[in-house]
Amino acid sequence: MLLLQFSTSHYCRKARLALGYKGISYGVENLTPGLHRIKLKPMTGLTTVPVLLPQQSGKPECIADSTEIFKFLESYQPEPSLLPKPEQQTAAWMLEDWLDESIGTATRFIYYDFRAGVGKQIDPSWFSQLLIQVVRRQYQINAATVNLAKERIKLALEVLRPWQEQPYLVGESLSVADIAAAALLSPLALIPEYRQEYPWLFARIKEIHEICREPLPPGLV
């Protein structure tokens, strides 16, 4: 299998965690933001990553979107399962969807605002800063939208607070909800105020990366 990705994308991290948890061997191809459209648009009709290429007879040529990759992997290799007991699966998928559609985007806003300001020293190179500015324009990241994103993340961390006392968000084993949360909140590990205020969050993120045999995100290494 081959995963088409941006190396820094937290949505691509989500797919890698699932592949790692399943113990599925795969390679990665890192695409260049902007130029990636030339490759992906004819292939998937979309311009977003991640995209998984199973490269196997009888399987789809490509699967776009991290949630669809979850579903494919669960059918391709049911064990270890990404889902809790049947009666808990709706809750797990609803939490995964909320994290995917709302919280992952909020994290992106906060992260790129940080990287353009206080966190510029992480990589002050002109190319890195150019990419950051392109992303900020593409997603209309500004003071107002960042403040809204911070409020959304504050609410999310209250919703996820049970993670502080229990290892899994839904059920008694790792699920799509845990992997989505660990991946989509991981960019906050570079921001000191979040690490200081929510140490339990990053302890859980670290645990899940270790379970899934995925290298730790920046800020937790």
Side-chain angles (χ1 to χ4, degrees):
M1 293 192 186
L2 181 67
L3 184 69
L4 307 181
Q5 66 163 16
F6 297 152
S7 60
T8 58
S9 165
H10 51 333
Y11 286 94
C12 296
R13 180 176 295 276
K14 185 179 161 198
R16 294 197 307 271
L17 286 171
L19 285 158
Y21 182 61
K22 291 283 191 182
I24 296 172
S25 179
Y26 68 98
V28 299
E29 180 180 337
N30 291 320
L31 306 180
T32 301
L35 296 178
H36 74 287
R37 297 169 181 267
I38 299 172
K39 185 179 185 76
L40 297 187
K41 185 69 172 179
M43 182 184 295
T44 68
L46 304 172
T47 58
T48 56
V49 289
V51 173
L52 182 67
L53 311 182
Q55 299 178 315
Q56 297 180 28
S57 176
K59 302 299 180 186
E61 179 182 354
C62 59
I63 300 100
D65 183 79
S66 58
T67 300
E68 293 304 314
I69 290 172
F70 276 0
K71 294 175 181 177
F72 170 77
L73 294 178
E74 191 67 8
S75 64
Y76 174 78
Q77 183 174 300
E79 296 296 334
S81 180
L82 290 168
L83 298 173
K85 296 176 181 179
E87 62 270 21
Q88 299 169 319
Q89 290 180 11
T90 297
W93 280 121
M94 288 180 65
L95 190 50
E96 188 273 346
D97 182 68
W98 173 64
L99 289 160
D100 194 83
E101 297 297 329
S102 180
I103 304 311
T105 56
T107 304
R108 178 191 288 134
F109 277 51
I110 295 170
Y111 171 77
Y112 281 103
D113 182 68
F114 173 76
R115 287 293 311 279
V118 177
K120 185 176 181 178
Q121 74 278 1
I122 293 171
D123 184 354
S125 68
W126 70 268
F127 183 70
S128 174
Q129 291 302 307
L130 175 63
L131 287 179
I132 288 168
Q133 293 307 318
V134 168
V135 172
R136 284 171 61 85
R137 284 195 297 271
Q138 178 182 353
Y139 292 103
Q140 298 181 347
I141 299 175
N142 54 51
T145 57
V146 170
N147 284 336
L148 288 172
K150 288 180 177 180
E151 288 300 314
R152 198 184 301 170
I153 291 297
K154 184 177 180 180
L155 171 62
L157 293 174
E158 286 303 313
V159 172
L160 299 179
R161 193 166 287 278
W163 224 10
Q164 187 172 4
E165 306 296 336
Q166 62 193 44
Y168 309 114
L169 289 169
V170 180
E172 299 176 353
S173 62
L174 196 74
S175 77
V176 293
D178 300 295
I179 289 179
L184 299 180
L185 291 165
S186 65
L188 299 180
L190 277 172
I191 304 177
E193 63 187 270
Y194 285 101
R195 289 205 311 272
Q196 293 165 9
E197 190 168 353
Y198 302 99
W200 56 267
L201 171 67
F202 300 103
R204 195 65 71 211
I205 289 174
K206 185 175 181 179
E207 287 176 11
I208 290 170
H209 277 71
E210 291 170 348
I211 292 170
C212 296
R213 299 177 287 274
E214 171 68 17
L216 295 176
L220 294 183
V221 177

